[in-house]
Amino acid sequence: MTNTAWDTYSKQKPERRPTNAAGETTWFNWTQYADHGPGAEVLGIRPGATVLDLGCGKGGNLAHVAALDARAVGVDVSLAQLKAAESRWVDAGMVLHRTDAVWFLTESGEHFDAIYSVFGAAWFTDPTELLPAIRERLRPGGVLAFSQRPAIEGCYGCQASYINRSEDEDPLVVKRWDYEPERWVEILHQHGFTAATARVLPAPPGQRTIGTLLVRAHG
Ligand SMILES: C[S@@+](CC[C@H](N)C(=O)[O-])C[C@H]1O[C@@H](n2cnc3c(N)ncnc32)[C@H](O)[C@@H]1O
């Protein structure tokens, strides 16, 4: 049912704007807010690097990675999301795979200089399955980074997320994994990653208060 859920989500999610506030046609956004937070420098991408997006969605961040002259590989379980990515970023040179993140990491023979996920598969996959698979594919010293909404206090581990449909239909359910920043650091070190950091970026000034959890580590 997960594919159906994410295809449903895809219909509700608007496309990225043509340009950001700086007038750029590609950019990296780790947060749920426009023109907010750090950019692709978190990943330390050099030209020629191989970079993997887990749950690339409509491909906005991956198109920016490709524009940095990296080999930009994206995986996503949703055909609707990937079709949107292909049609918007037709000339970007991204390599897209419709598959589950753990399956791709386990079955593909490719190694990566950076692996990232923005509110993507890293949030919606059991870390005890995902992190060992990432370790296999991340080059030594490579960067793993992912962002997601911070945990709600007291709600840790596997949580349910609802994707709403029409008023006559039950919402669809996907699972996500939430932990406090210090727990993410422990989990990453337990799985052999080094120099792990995790912090909550504050929301931009305004009415919204929920920040963004940004987690980073080395392979
Ligand atoms: C909330 S969207 C975020 C998409 C994109 N990263 C962005 O920032 O717009 C989550 C994405 O992760 C994908 N996804 C969820 N679980 C996945 C999995 N196990 N393997 C691959 N993709 C997955 C969904 O299909 C969806 O496109």
Side-chain angles (χ1 to χ4, degrees), residues 2 6 9 13 29 53-58 61 75-78 81 99-102 117-121 123-125:
T2 304
W6 289 115
Y9 168 87
K13 174 82 179 167
N29 187 359
D53 185 333
L54 298 175
C56 61
K58 294 188 165 81
N61 288 321
V75 302
D76 202 288
V77 287
S78 164
Q81 291 282 72
T99 184
D100 169 73
V102 172
S117 186
V118 176
F119 288 62
W123 196 13
F124 300 106
T125 306

Side-chain angles (χ1 to χ4, degrees), residues 60-201:
N61 288 321
L62 196 61
H64 186 64
V65 168
L68 299 175
D69 293 329
R71 174 174 158 77
V73 181
V75 302
D76 202 288
V77 287
S78 164
L79 187 59
Q81 291 282 72
L82 292 176
K83 278 190 173 166
E86 278 167 355
S87 93
R88 167 83 185 259
W89 308 106
V90 63
D91 295 322
M94 309 173 336
V95 180
L96 301 175
H97 299 275
R98 185 190 177 205
T99 184
D100 169 73
V102 172
W103 192 92
F104 178 83
L105 289 160
T106 309
E107 298 299 323
S108 119
E110 197 163 354
H111 287 82
F112 295 92
D113 299 297
I115 298 179
Y116 72 88
S117 186
V118 176
F119 288 62
W123 196 13
F124 300 106
T125 306
D126 185 340
T128 65
E129 292 177 24
L130 185 69
L131 294 178
I134 290 175
R135 279 275 292 156
E136 286 296 311
R137 294 292 156 217
L138 189 60
R139 293 207 171 94
V143 174
L144 165 65
F146 56 89
S147 63
Q148 57 197 53
R149 266 201 308 272
I152 297 164
E153 193 179 350
C155 302
Y156 307 123
C158 184
Q159 307 290 319
S161 273
Y162 291 101
I163 295 175
N164 287 324
R165 295 191 285 177
S166 73
E167 287 203 351
D168 299 332
E169 295 172 293
D170 288 331
L172 296 165
V173 181
V174 295
K175 293 175 182 174
R176 65 171 206 265
W177 275 261
D178 287 339
Y179 298 100
E180 293 291 348
E182 51 276 18
R183 180 67 189 126
W184 273 117
V185 168
E186 282 175 8
I187 291 170
L188 283 156
H189 288 156
Q190 282 164 1
H191 284 87
F193 292 88
T194 61
T197 59
R199 63 195 164 113
V200 176
L201 310 172

